């Protein structure tokens, strides 16, 4: 082997190994309160009509496997090595249902995957417009929501909610801030159902 080629080959090998060494981070959303984490799923002890949280509708540009951040009003950054463990809309539905069960302990709240309850029930629908971290250190949630009585087709409560919370730039902190925003949404909806 030519000794002049050795530094070139070593440099190429080091460069290739550096590219392959970035591990993928996996994120999830979690319920915010201890009571939400310990809720007994599917119990039928609540008073009044049970509540079912429908699939959370999310814009396609947000409901992806990779964490999406807003860089500017018309520009997004999709992280290369930061992934959600499941689709964002499904995780939001699960966490919102757990948070609702925690803030409405007197009411039966069905979890995603539970059979649709027979007879009348309340249906919570959420349509998200924005739900992401920004490069300015904020995490935003903007959503329309309504609670429908399925027997009368009467809307019992509805609203448009929008919040921002400060967050560090680490993806783990941003996911935690997104979980906090879902807890705020649960508290807002619950205030109309008590």
């Amino acid at each position: 082997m030519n000794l002049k080629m050795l530094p070139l080959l070593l440099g190429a090998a080091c460069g290739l190994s550096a590219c392959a060494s970035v591990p993928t981070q996996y994120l999830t959303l979690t319920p915010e309160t201890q009571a939400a984490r310990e809720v007994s799923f599917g119990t039928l002890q609540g008073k009044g009509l049970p509540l079912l949280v429908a699939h959370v509708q999310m814009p396609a540009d947000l409901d992806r496997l990779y964490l999406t951040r807003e860089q500017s009003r018309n520009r997004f950054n999709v992280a290369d090595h930061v992934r959600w463990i499941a689709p964002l809309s499904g995780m939001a539905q699960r966490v919102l249902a757990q948070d609702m069960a925690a803030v409405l302990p007197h009411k039966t709240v069905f979890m995603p995957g539970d059979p649709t309850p027979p007879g009348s029930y309340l249906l919570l629908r959420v349509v998200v417009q924005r739900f992401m971290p920004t490069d300015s250190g904020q995490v935003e949630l903007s959503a329309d929501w309504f609670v429908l009585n399925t027997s009368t087709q009467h809307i019992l409560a509805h609203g448009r909610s929008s919040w921002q919370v400060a967050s560090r730039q680490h993806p783990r902190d941003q996911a935690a801030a997104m979980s906090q925003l879902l807890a705020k949404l649960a508290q807002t909806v619950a205030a109309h159902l008590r």
Side-chain angles (χ1 to χ4, degrees), residues 21-86:
S21 65
V22 178
T24 300
Q25 296 178 53
Y26 292 93
L27 302 175
T28 188
L29 298 174
T30 56
E32 276 303 293
T33 63
Q34 188 64 25
R37 292 184 191 104
E38 295 173 355
V39 69
S40 64
F41 302 114
T43 58
L44 297 174
Q45 300 171 359
K47 297 176 185 172
L49 293 176
L51 176 69
L52 178 70
V53 177
H55 185 76
V56 174
Q57 293 180 337
M58 191 116 15
D61 56 352
L62 300 180
D63 196 17
R64 55 178 70 232
L65 286 178
Y66 290 92
L67 178 66
T68 303
R69 289 187 188 102
E70 183 185 69
Q71 287 184 321
S72 64
R73 266 298 179 211
N74 297 316
R75 188 171 176 185
F76 297 111
N77 177 17
V78 180
D80 290 334
H81 299 287
V82 183
R83 293 183 57 151
W84 295 109
I85 62 166

Side-chain angles (χ1 to χ4, degrees), residues 32 51 53-54 56-58 92-93 95-97 99-100 103-104 124-131 141-147 158-163 177-194:
E32 276 303 293
L51 176 69
V53 177
V56 174
Q57 293 180 337
M58 191 116 15
Q93 178 191 17
V95 169
L96 186 56
D99 284 335
M100 291 299 297
V103 296
L104 293 171
L124 170 60
R125 289 203 177 274
V126 177
V127 179
V128 170
Q129 282 78 43
R130 298 179 55 76
F131 189 37
L141 171 62
S142 179
D144 295 323
W145 57 270
F146 67 90
V147 179
H158 62 89
R160 175 170 287 162
S161 299
S162 186
W163 298 281
M178 293 171 80
S179 296
Q180 290 172 5
L181 290 172
L182 287 174
K184 283 188 175 193
L185 178 59
Q187 292 164 0
T188 299
V189 174
H192 290 82
L193 298 180
R194 290 191 175 109

Side-chain angles (χ1 to χ4, degrees), residues 101-182:
V103 296
L104 293 171
H106 62 280
K107 184 171 285 301
T108 298
V109 178
F110 288 91
M111 296 296 126
D114 285 349
T116 303
S120 300
Y121 59 92
L122 303 179
L123 180 67
L124 170 60
R125 289 203 177 274
V126 177
V127 179
V128 170
Q129 282 78 43
R130 298 179 55 76
F131 189 37
M132 70 174 72
T134 66
D135 279 351
S136 65
Q138 299 287 317
V139 175
E140 299 179 2
L141 171 62
S142 179
D144 295 323
W145 57 270
F146 67 90
V147 179
L148 176 78
N149 182 323
T150 59
S151 67
T152 64
Q153 296 300 305
H154 179 72
I155 295 177
L156 301 177
H158 62 89
R160 175 170 287 162
S161 299
S162 186
W163 298 281
Q164 291 184 347
V165 295
S167 172
R168 296 184 184 134
Q169 292 296 326
H170 194 280
R172 178 184 60 244
D173 298 320
Q174 293 169 337
M178 293 171 80
S179 296
Q180 290 172 5
L181 290 172
L182 287 174

